[in-house]
Amino acid sequence: MAKKPFVTDPYLTGITLAFSNPSSALIADQVLPRVPVDKEEFSYNTFPTEDAFTVPDTRVSRIGAVNEVEFGADRLTDQTENYGLEDPVPQQDIDNAANTNYDPLGRSTEVLTDLILLDREVRTASTVFNAANFAVGNKETLVGNQQWSDSVNSTPVKDLEDAMDTMLLKSNLLVVGQAVWRVLSRHPEVVEAVFGSASTKGRVKPQDLADVLGLQKVLVGEGWVNTARKGQAAVMARAWGKSAALLYINPNADNNRGATFGFTAQFGKRTAARYFDEKIGLDGGVRVRVGEKVKEKIIAPTLGYLFDAAIA
């Protein structure tokens, strides 16, 4: 049996599973919920739209046969990707932290977990705001005075309601980044829709807009990411950019059943492991590794609507 130099550590794994950013910062797990799969290579169903909306002849004569219908599904396969990071912790740091409240291995696990979750946030944002993942007719690019940052001429509430009227299943989520939400939260049309015709100034909360539109939630991604190359001066940007997406996400859907815009296949749990490395510093040290096996999937492009370049 091949030896595994990294030994999974229950204590560190507990830290990586418990650690999370504030719920208002990272939203990937709500946008594309995690779905457990039995193997790294997994199968999933996509359902033809016409099966659910084409009306067959249902009339039956007194002695005639009942018409049959056959529902099809395309069974596709994919594979989870491995995502992980390591951090070398010198033994000297571990020794110096003895009899203190500081845990260098635990702190390393937290930082690695934070970076892995941030990477997932960036991947999810890129996937959900990618026009190629939406059906033809379920996406538009706002330009000029259509953009919601034009508070005088744009009509975000009308735009969103019109888009929802075209969707085959009513969307239950609006996903935006912090920059877009700042504009929407004080847009005169949004404020008026929430507080009444006499109000054109003020600021609304995400749930206020959700209630007006009949959505379950408005999810606002607040995470920051450094887009500069390693070693260069930091260039900070929001993980979620200047687009907006209406989605139908079914929290009960999995890779076998249930209509939903997308999900995240996950094989196993996120884990943390460690092993002693004599090549770290003079006294050696411990390498901490955190990782997970996931794959973000869009399986029903007709169940989303994208507003690209929602603001300038």
Side-chain angles (χ1 to χ4, degrees):
M1 179 180 295
K3 293 183 178 180
K4 294 185 177 181
F6 273 92
V7 178
T8 300
D9 188 294
Y11 169 67
L12 297 183
T13 295
I15 292 176
T16 189
L17 291 176
F19 181 76
S20 65
N21 279 278
S23 59
S24 61
L26 304 184
I27 60 175
D29 284 353
Q30 297 179 76
V31 177
L32 295 179
R34 295 174 185 253
V35 170
V37 292
D38 295 331
K39 299 179 179 179
E40 293 182 51
E41 183 174 293
F42 62 94
S43 299
Y44 62 97
N45 288 328
T46 60
F47 300 93
T49 302
E50 57 271 18
D51 282 357
F53 293 94
T54 301
V55 179
D57 186 357
T58 61
R59 290 178 299 174
V60 182
S61 66
R62 191 169 63 87
I63 59 173
V66 178
N67 287 334
E68 294 181 354
V69 294
E70 182 178 356
F71 298 105
D74 294 323
R75 191 69 172 171
L76 305 178
T77 60
D78 207 332
Q79 186 167 338
T80 58
E81 302 282 350
N82 298 332
Y83 296 98
L85 290 171
E86 281 184 22
D87 179 34
V89 181
Q91 184 63 41
Q92 184 177 4
D93 290 359
I94 299 172
D95 293 340
N96 289 339
N99 301 318
T100 72
N101 292 326
Y102 181 68
D103 178 5
L105 297 182
R107 177 57 180 161
S108 174
T109 304
E110 291 178 346
V111 173
L112 293 178
T113 302
D114 189 27
L115 291 173
I116 287 172
L117 292 178
L118 181 57
D119 182 40
R120 165 160 161 73
E121 190 81 359
V122 172
R123 292 196 314 270
T124 302
S126 297
T127 300
V128 172
F129 283 170
N130 183 352
N133 290 327
F134 291 79
V136 176
N138 282 41
K139 50 193 170 186
E140 60 181 294
T141 299
L142 301 184
V143 296
N145 59 16
Q146 295 177 327
Q147 292 179 301
W148 301 336
S149 44
D150 185 336
S151 61
V152 175
N153 298 296
S154 65
T155 56
V157 174
K158 180 180 183 302
D159 294 343
L160 291 165
E161 289 179 337
D162 288 349
M164 292 170 66
D165 285 344
T166 69
M167 296 178 65
L168 297 178
L169 289 180
K170 185 178 182 294
S171 55
N172 55 7
L173 297 179
L174 171 62
V175 180
V176 298
Q178 179 66 17
V180 174
W181 176 246
R182 285 296 184 194
V183 169
L184 281 178
S185 67
R186 57 180 179 241
H187 193 287
E189 189 191 39
V190 175
V191 173
E192 181 179 331
V194 171
F195 298 122
S197 58
S199 303
T200 57
K201 293 182 179 181
R203 189 182 297 276
V204 306
K205 298 178 180 179
Q207 194 57 47
D208 293 333
L209 181 58
D211 291 342
V212 165
L213 296 174
L215 301 170
Q216 290 180 4
K217 287 184 180 179
V218 173
L219 295 177
V220 182
E222 299 180 0
W224 287 95
V225 62
N226 177 19
T227 60
R229 293 181 180 275
K230 185 176 181 179
Q232 296 182 349
V235 179
M236 303 303 295
R238 295 285 187 180
W240 295 85
K242 296 183 177 181
S243 297
L246 287 163
L247 307 176
Y248 174 72
I249 297 296
N250 180 356
N252 298 316
D254 58 26
N255 57 310
N256 292 312
R257 60 180 63 85
T260 190
F261 176 73
F263 64 85
T264 299
Q266 175 175 304
F267 178 65
K269 295 182 179 180
R270 189 168 62 247
T271 59
R274 61 177 168 179
Y275 79 99
F276 185 79
D277 185 352
E278 62 183 14
K279 295 182 180 180
I280 299 174
L282 181 63
D283 302 319
V286 174
R287 286 191 174 273
V288 177
R289 176 183 293 179
V290 175
E292 62 182 5
K293 299 177 180 181
V294 297
K295 184 63 175 288
E296 294 80 18
K297 292 297 301 180
I298 305 303
I299 63 170
T302 58
L303 300 185
Y305 195 103
L306 177 68
F307 293 94
D308 200 12
I311 64 173

